[in-house]
Amino acid sequence: MPKPVLMTVDDDPGVSRSVARDLRRRYGQDHRIVRAESGVAALEALRELVLRGEPVAAILADYRMPNMNGIEFLEQAMDIAPHARRALLTAYADTDAAIQAINVVDIDHYLLKPWDPPEEKLYPVVDALIETWRTVGERPVEDIRIVGHRWSAECFTARDFLARNSVPYRWYSVEEPEGARLLQAAGCPATDVPLIITPDGTALRNPTEAEIAAAVGLTTTPTGDFYDLIVVGGGPAGLGSAVYGASEGLRTVLVERLATGGQAGQSSRIENYLGFPDGVSGAQLTDRARRQAAKFGAEVLTAREVVALEARGSARVVRFGDGSEIAGHAVVLATGVSYRSLDAPGVAELTGRGVYYGSAATEAPACAGQHVYVVGGANSAGQAAVFFSRHAADVTMLVRGPNLEASMSTYLIKQIEAIDNIHVRTRTEVAEACGDGHLEKLVLLDRTTGAKQTVDAGSMFIFIGAAPRTEWLDGVLLRDERGFLRTGPDLVVDGKRPPGWPLDRDPYHLESSIPGVFVAGDVRADSVKRVASAVGEGAMAVTLVHRYLADQ
């Protein structure tokens, strides 16, 4: 296989040679360094590389170039080498343009001139570009094949499950010749979809998520029956606990019901997370955290739902939906929250058929030319609106309140205001969803006047608040009136510890009403609903686990 290409584009010959020299010194043994001195020349070189089958790992382009600036070049380069990672080389005065480029052409990084010393300023960025390209860049997508109906809720669930678990696949509609051929070869009627075909030729008809996970190689079975630390939930808090627990020598297992990342994993770009000035997608952040946990030896189980928790002496036991169980010295509950259901006629019937909860990034290509509606006014809704604006004809945000300022970060509001095809309708809610087999129209209610309006709608994505999934803990752990888990000082009322508390000390800060069971992230009562705070609580929970174990 030819060496992956690192391309640098700069109209200044001296700068071009310097960048190429520094890249060659660090990466020349394993990569081919290609340089061009104009955007036009670089595009021609990219076409030749692609025709020859040479993989392009990363492109570094200068911002200030005549005739075609770096942003314009990278936008065209995306069509030729879509898997290549992209960085913009810019002067300090152009950083605003570079930040805008992150949203326009989805660049991965920007680099400030001068980049000396390269060991500190250039190489870490290029290392990250190469690492990302190797992880998600040009992996074949032919291995897993899914055949189904465009408007089947079951087919959407299967595609969404694979996408959120970073499993590449190829989608075939039953109406396409190849889709029909695969159905016939598998002896599968068109009514029994999705049909999933694995690399070894195994055909799964309308499988469960657990069956899909096992078939595509995701880990679903624990290697042992007793651990130092069991983490329930694979969002930022759970991943934080898994990384810190495993890295500090605890035998750790993380159990996730659907896909690691939680709601944060569905974010198209998180821009206010510490240490990522250029922003990072939820999928990228999740993938890095998952690999980091695995590097330290944590087990990650996917598609396993925990349905019960109990204390048996000094052991803490969690039971799965199939009746099996594992035990450990301590448990961290990081189950996060789910989006609340939209209670309007037609919504339930059309969920998965044009109506979706969360970002549902798999639907982005299908939104081309459509009228897309995003329901909600918090950051997750704003991020989704920005993301879908790159695909849809227009995006309309429906917000119950009078404005976005009360629930959305200022940086995101400014982004939305700057995008022409995003429209915000305040004091508006969905009164009804209509369609024959899939979403076609919405009935909108003006909360101020009471007037109703029917509009065409291709897709609707719902982000309306958070509800904890803690019903399975009713009567086991103390919860607040909304179902969030109470911890630490909140459990001590008028100087009295929670009922049944067996220890001669108050609960630790993140400890629940059962000693040795800790809570981190959004599921904890009165937690700060931010990725950074969730990761911090996950790490803090491990520190408290060590303290708890030392007391035993």
Side-chain angles (χ1 to χ4, degrees):
M1 182 177 176
K3 292 181 178 180
V5 170
L6 300 179
M7 173 178 279
T8 173
V9 189
D10 199 303
D11 66 303
D12 185 324
V15 174
S16 179
R17 286 192 295 270
S18 296
V19 177
R21 178 199 64 216
D22 288 340
L23 292 177
R24 194 171 290 112
R25 187 173 65 190
R26 172 72 171 257
Y27 306 101
Q29 183 173 348
D30 299 318
H31 298 78
R32 188 158 83 87
I33 312 303
V34 174
R35 68 183 183 93
E37 295 182 2
S38 73
V40 173
L43 291 174
E44 183 61 32
L46 275 177
R47 293 187 184 97
E48 292 182 8
L49 291 168
V50 171
L51 287 174
R52 291 201 299 263
E54 295 189 50
V56 181
I59 305 170
L60 283 74
D62 183 49
Y63 172 62
R64 292 196 178 189
M65 294 190 294
N67 302 321
M68 180 187 298
N69 67 36
I71 297 175
E72 294 167 339
F73 159 71
L74 288 173
E75 192 168 15
Q76 295 188 43
M78 288 173 63
D79 296 328
I80 302 171
H83 300 293
R85 313 318 299 180
R86 300 169 293 278
L88 196 68
L89 191 61
T90 181
Y92 180 79
D94 299 321
T95 52
D96 286 345
I99 292 171
Q100 289 299 316
I102 292 170
N103 302 308
V104 174
V105 295
D106 199 25
I107 65 170
D108 298 280
H109 292 276
Y110 67 86
L111 281 162
L112 291 178
K113 298 179 181 178
W115 60 88
D116 289 328
E119 290 78 10
E120 295 181 11
K121 298 183 179 180
L122 175 64
Y123 296 154
V125 170
V126 178
D127 286 346
L129 294 174
I130 294 173
E131 178 190 4
T132 303
W133 176 80
R134 285 176 177 167
T135 303
V136 300
E138 299 204 37
R139 292 182 297 181
V141 298
E142 296 84 10
D143 289 346
I144 307 294
R145 290 171 289 179
I146 305 180
V147 185
H149 295 285
R150 166 72 178 88
W151 297 115
S152 162
E154 293 79 11
C155 293
F156 163 74
T157 298
R159 289 186 291 124
D160 188 59
F161 176 79
L162 290 175
R164 292 183 61 183
N165 281 286
S166 301
V167 178
Y169 67 87
R170 186 176 293 276
W171 162 258
Y172 298 92
S173 170
V174 296
E175 298 175 352
E176 298 174 359
E178 181 63 12
R181 185 190 70 79
L182 291 171
L183 284 178
Q184 184 178 16
C188 178
T191 55
D192 199 13
V193 291
L195 171 69
I196 295 182
I197 304 172
T198 64
D200 63 2
T202 301
L204 306 175
R205 297 185 185 185
N206 196 14
T208 65
E209 290 168 349
E211 290 170 337
I212 296 173
V216 302
L218 298 175
T219 303
T220 60
T221 305
T223 61
D225 54 14
F226 198 92
Y227 295 82
D228 296 319
L229 175 63
I230 301 171
V231 181
V232 183
L239 287 167
S241 288
V243 168
Y244 280 91
S247 68
E248 294 174 8
L250 298 178
R251 189 181 181 200
T252 302
V253 59
L254 182 149
V255 183
E256 168 54 42
R257 181 181 61 89
L258 182 60
T260 51
Q263 288 186 0
Q266 295 181 280
S267 296
S268 57
R269 184 167 295 276
I270 302 168
E271 297 189 61
N272 57 353
Y273 186 63
L274 185 67
F276 290 86
D278 307 329
V280 61
S281 74
Q284 288 175 326
L285 188 63
T286 296
D287 182 67
R288 292 177 182 181
R290 181 174 54 233
R291 287 188 286 118
Q292 194 173 17
K295 180 185 77 171
F296 290 123
E299 291 181 36
V300 178
L301 309 182
T302 306
R304 296 302 300 268
E305 184 170 13
V306 175
V307 297
L309 166 72
E310 64 176 292
R312 295 180 190 166
S314 62
R316 302 295 176 259
V317 180
V318 298
R319 187 168 70 248
F320 299 124
D322 63 0
S324 62
E325 60 184 35
I326 55 176
H329 291 301
V331 172
V332 173
L333 297 175
T335 51
V337 293
S338 300
Y339 292 113
R340 288 194 174 93
S341 299
L342 177 59
D343 186 18
V347 170
E349 294 80 1
L350 296 176
T351 297
R353 299 176 170 88
V355 175
Y356 308 98
Y357 286 89
S359 188
T362 54
E363 295 302 302
C367 290
Q370 288 189 352
H371 302 291
V372 169
Y373 287 80
V374 175
V375 183
N379 278 10
S380 54
Q383 290 162 352
V386 171
F387 173 71
F388 286 111
S389 71
R390 305 171 194 163
H391 302 271
D394 58 71
V395 177
T396 301
M397 297 188 67
L398 304 177
V399 184
R400 286 172 56 91
N403 54 54
L404 293 174
E405 283 73 11
S407 55
M408 188 178 293
S409 297
T410 302
Y411 82 89
L412 198 49
I413 295 174
K414 291 180 179 178
Q415 280 187 27
I416 290 170
E417 291 173 346
I419 299 175
D420 292 336
N421 67 333
I422 296 182
H423 315 287
V424 180
R425 293 184 57 164
T426 58
R427 300 186 187 278
T428 304
E429 63 183 57
V430 175
E432 185 178 359
C434 311
D436 183 11
H438 64 90
L439 180 66
E440 296 175 304
K441 296 182 183 294
L442 291 174
V443 179
L444 305 182
L445 171 67
D446 187 313
R447 290 169 55 82
T448 301
T449 65
K452 291 184 177 181
Q453 177 189 8
T454 301
V455 297
D456 293 331
S459 299
M460 176 171 66
F461 300 91
I462 302 169
F463 305 81
I464 53 169
R469 301 176 57 89
T470 59
E471 297 83 0
W472 61 284
L473 292 168
D474 186 30
V476 179
L477 299 180
L478 291 182
R479 304 183 296 162
D480 68 10
E481 63 279 1
R482 296 181 298 163
F484 291 92
L485 299 175
R486 295 168 57 191
T487 60
D490 291 341
L491 295 170
V492 180
V493 181
D494 297 329
K496 296 181 180 180
R497 295 166 184 152
W501 183 260
L503 302 181
D504 189 23
R505 64 165 176 82
D506 290 347
Y508 293 136
H509 184 66
L510 300 180
E511 199 167 19
S512 72
S513 54
I514 293 181
V517 176
F518 298 85
V519 184
D522 290 359
V523 72
R524 190 177 66 83
D526 298 323
S527 65
V528 178
K529 305 300 188 282
R530 288 290 184 269
V531 175
S533 62
V535 173
E537 287 192 8
M540 181 180 174
V542 173
T543 299
L544 297 174
V545 165
H546 282 295
R547 188 182 301 177
Y548 166 78
L549 294 176
D551 292 341
Q552 301 305 299

